[in-house]
Amino acid sequence: MTQLALVIDLNVCVGCHACVTSCKEWNTSGPAGSMSDDNPYGMEPTGTFFNRVQTYEVGCFPNTETIHFPKSCLHCEDAPCVPVCPTGASYKRESDGIVLVDYDKCIGCKYCSWACPYGAREFDEHQKVMKKCTLCVDRIYDTNLPESERKPACVMACPTSARLFGDVHDPQSEVSVAIREQGGYALMPEWGTNPANHYLPRRKTRLHIHEDELVRADNPLKKEQRKPSGPVTEPTLDDSTSW
Amino acid sequence: MHPALSVIFLTTLIGVGQGMFLALFTGQSYAAAQFLPAQDSSGFYGAGSLIALTFLIAGLMSSFFHLGHPERAWRAAAMWRTSWLSREVIVLPLVMMFVFVYGVMHFMGWDTVIATTDTVVTFHASLLVGALGSLAVFTLFLCTAMIYAAIKFLQEWSNPLTVINYLLLGTASGFTLATAFSHAAAPDLLRFYGTWAIIITVAAFITRSASLIRNTRLKYKSTIQSAIGVRHNQIVQKSQGAMGGSYNTREYFHGKKAVFLQSIKWIFMVLVFALPILLLVAGMRNNNIMVLNAAFIVQFIGLLFERWLFFAQARHPQNIYYQTV
């Protein structure tokens, strides 16, 4: 079974919000209709987004670290938002594991958003239906696009390649290898939602140089150098030998 | 969570309707076994059902204000296999139907005797409808409460006390209404309903207090560390991904200070439990309809406060991602 998902590398994310804007651009122009905004150019702009980037500061000054944290629907394998939907508008696709909302069936009761511990769903205040990340389902299967572009808009936009996209059930896929080899983890594992999206942790690249490696008795770099001459107190070979 | 007025009114209004119907059916059952004097069919059971039905319809109307697309509400009956909300959507009209049929049978006098024991007990057809209706009422209490209790990460709600409280608070308000109603329609039953109203109100006080105590002692499973997956006990949020707020900052926060919540708690403790009990006792002593009406009105207003706090107290784990709201 396929389970498409994103893997987000927190070690690489620079918090540029390119994924946020490209997501909004693609999805607001899509066949499902716009993602409405209120007051977009005013003091307090607010609107519907599928993806947001938050920023956290970890540690105490001066030992702090800034973590940019992109946050979208995790397409949980045991999605708690799906069974609570009274109309069946919220569903998880058998074929690829994407959790979607049928905007024509949604009655806008908001119960699914209460049942998502991550707050991944956003209610569209104008269309009065619940919205969420679709993993760009209208893009990833579009055969009119070149194969290299059949990825979610956020993945395409990321300038640092912090976002990987693929099938987390295929052990050889790029995402599975990344999760396996780089310590990918799920958010809030305590609720058993089994999120498909994973995050790769911050990784420190540290160089460990031992003193031995700096000053070595048998340093090969010194092999060709002239040996230091000893003190000339005794007669040398030169003194006793006639040439 | 942000308490929605529509849901507050839905749950409190149908609670009254359900409790009122249970009161009527209890009265009739006791009368059938001759524990209580039988009452006028249309004047008491019929009119009482009409009152219960009015509350149920008002609750249903209120629920539509919660929906983004009320015209599609019929779709909500589809997923009864998995969704408690869907089950509620099915059971609520069922309860209304039973109350309606029960009322009509009493109004029209279509109430044939279907069985009798030697002399004492007489089973009318309406008793059967009433029993089925009561079963539906209990199911509806279960469905309504389970909508909240079934969300396991809303730890304030995810507990059997939620179901017990919905049942007892709804029934208490229904019996208080029945007490006020019986003053005019069935004076013989005034003390019966009044006493039960007090007993159920006291029971509700115990269980609701238990849930309040439980809420103060909750240990939340989700932390900022598990939410973003960073092991450090000093994590400060610097940006939330939105300038003017978002659905996430509006829907899940009540936006009130802790002092406000505390005061709501004491207001409803007085209005739902203390004052109605005093008014019920005084009303029964002096046989005063105004005092009994006041008991119901005060308790219902108190329940609005109680329901507000029920929603406001629930802390959604997504709020961890919005530390500075």
Side-chain angles (χ1 to χ4, degrees), chain A residues 57 84 106 111 113 119 190-191, chain B residues 72 83 147 222 236 247-248:
Chain A
E57 190 176 82
V84 300
C106 176
Y111 190 26
S113 72
E190 60 271 21
W191 299 120
Chain B
R72 299 177 188 164
S83 172
I147 289 174
S222 286
V236 181
Y247 176 73
N248 304 67

Side-chain angles (χ1 to χ4, degrees), chain B residues 30-240:
Chain B
Y30 276 49
Q34 300 197 354
F35 292 137
L36 286 174
Q39 299 303 320
D40 176 42
S41 228
S42 63
F44 183 68
Y45 300 117
S49 304
L50 188 67
I51 294 173
L53 193 60
T54 311
F55 275 93
L56 291 168
I57 291 172
L60 182 67
M61 289 296 132
S62 165
S63 76
F64 281 108
F65 288 99
H66 186 66
L67 301 183
H69 283 277
E71 77 281 5
R72 299 177 188 164
W74 59 273
R75 285 186 181 277
M79 302 308 273
W80 55 272
R81 285 185 191 80
T82 58
S83 172
W84 283 104
L85 179 53
S86 187
R87 288 168 201 164
E88 187 194 34
V89 166
I90 294 170
V91 178
L92 178 55
L94 207 64
V95 167
M96 290 163 76
M97 188 202 76
F98 276 118
V99 175
F100 178 74
V101 172
Y102 182 81
V104 165
M105 285 173 85
H106 281 292
F107 261 125
M108 298 302 199
W110 299 335
D111 204 5
T112 50
V113 175
I114 49 176
T116 50
T117 59
D118 298 336
T119 49
V120 190
V121 186
T122 318
F123 289 105
H124 285 278
S126 62
L127 264 184
L128 186 67
V129 175
L132 292 173
S134 300
L135 196 67
V137 161
F138 284 119
T139 315
L140 182 56
F141 274 127
L142 180 72
C143 292
T144 310
M146 280 308 288
I147 289 174
Y148 309 106
I151 306 177
K152 60 182 170 186
F153 46 81
L154 278 165
Q155 290 174 260
E156 288 85 353
W157 295 350
S158 179
N159 188 271
L161 279 173
T162 304
V163 180
I164 296 169
N165 285 332
Y166 267 84
L167 174 69
L168 290 180
L169 289 168
T171 314
S173 59
F175 269 74
T176 309
L177 177 62
T179 312
F181 173 62
S182 67
H183 180 273
D188 302 338
L189 302 188
L190 181 68
R191 278 179 181 273
F192 171 73
Y193 283 134
T195 311
W196 273 112
I198 292 171
I199 291 171
I200 301 168
T201 304
V202 169
F205 169 72
I206 294 168
T207 57
R208 190 65 178 98
S209 304
S211 78
L212 285 173
I213 292 167
R214 178 180 173 273
N215 286 354
T216 58
R217 298 158 62 100
L218 270 184
K219 194 173 181 299
Y220 293 96
K221 283 189 185 169
S222 286
T223 59
I224 181 78
Q225 285 77 20
S226 76
I228 66 170
V230 176
R231 271 186 82 86
H232 199 297
N233 49 17
Q234 227 157 8
I235 301 176
V236 181
Q237 184 160 34
K238 293 291 171 185
S239 88
Q240 303 188 133

Side-chain angles (χ1 to χ4, degrees), chain A residues 147-164:
Chain A
E147 195 148 356
S148 61
E149 287 181 24
R150 291 181 208 160
K151 292 174 182 172
C154 57
V155 176
M156 295 291 295
C158 182
T160 60
S161 303
R163 302 174 77 93
L164 310 175

Side-chain angles (χ1 to χ4, degrees), chain B residues 1 3 156 208 212 215 220 253-269 305-306 308-315:
Chain B
M1 304 295 295
E156 288 85 353
R208 190 65 178 98
L212 285 173
N215 286 354
Y220 293 96
F253 293 90
H254 49 76
K256 298 286 190 289
K257 294 209 163 63
V259 182
F260 187 84
L261 264 71
Q262 282 295 317
S263 50
I264 294 288
K265 185 178 87 181
W266 291 114
I267 289 171
F268 96 68
M269 277 297 191
F305 283 96
E306 185 276 331
W308 188 92
L309 189 75
F310 171 79
F311 288 106
Q313 260 198 341
R315 281 172 53 175

Side-chain angles (χ1 to χ4, degrees), chain A residues 10 17 20 42-47 49 51-60 63 67 69 71 74 80 82-90 102-123 125 127-130 185-193 199 201-202, chain B residues 1-2 4 7 66-70 72-80 82-86 89 146-155 157 220-224 226-232 234-248 250-252 311 316-323:
Chain A
L10 297 183
H17 290 250
V20 178
M43 282 287 281
E44 299 275 304
T46 184
F49 284 78
N51 180 31
R52 296 183 187 268
V53 177
Q54 304 185 323
T55 303
Y56 295 87
E57 190 176 82
V58 175
C60 198
N63 298 316
I67 291 181
F69 182 79
K71 181 174 167 292
L74 306 173
V82 170
V84 300
C85 176
T87 67
S90 193
D102 185 337
Y103 299 152
D104 295 329
K105 278 189 187 170
C106 176
I107 56 171
C109 71
K110 303 178 183 171
Y111 190 26
C112 56
S113 72
W114 293 16
C116 168
Y118 309 100
R121 292 169 167 249
E122 296 195 18
F123 187 71
E125 302 289 352
Q127 290 180 18
K128 302 287 181 192
V129 291
M130 195 56 72
Y185 62 87
L187 305 182
M188 292 190 193
E190 60 271 21
W191 299 120
T193 52
Y199 285 77
R202 299 278 284 181
Chain B
M1 304 295 295
H2 179 79
V7 182
H66 186 66
L67 301 183
H69 283 277
R72 299 177 188 164
W74 59 273
R75 285 186 181 277
M79 302 308 273
W80 55 272
T82 58
S83 172
W84 283 104
L85 179 53
S86 187
V89 166
M146 280 308 288
I147 289 174
Y148 309 106
I151 306 177
K152 60 182 170 186
F153 46 81
L154 278 165
Q155 290 174 260
W157 295 350
Y220 293 96
K221 283 189 185 169
S222 286
T223 59
I224 181 78
S226 76
I228 66 170
V230 176
R231 271 186 82 86
H232 199 297
Q234 227 157 8
I235 301 176
V236 181
Q237 184 160 34
K238 293 291 171 185
S239 88
Q240 303 188 133
M243 286 170 72
S246 63
Y247 176 73
N248 304 67
R250 290 187 293 265
E251 178 72 5
Y252 304 90
F311 288 106
H316 201 285
Q318 82 97 35
N319 293 7
I320 294 170
Y321 295 107
Y322 298 89
Q323 301 259 315

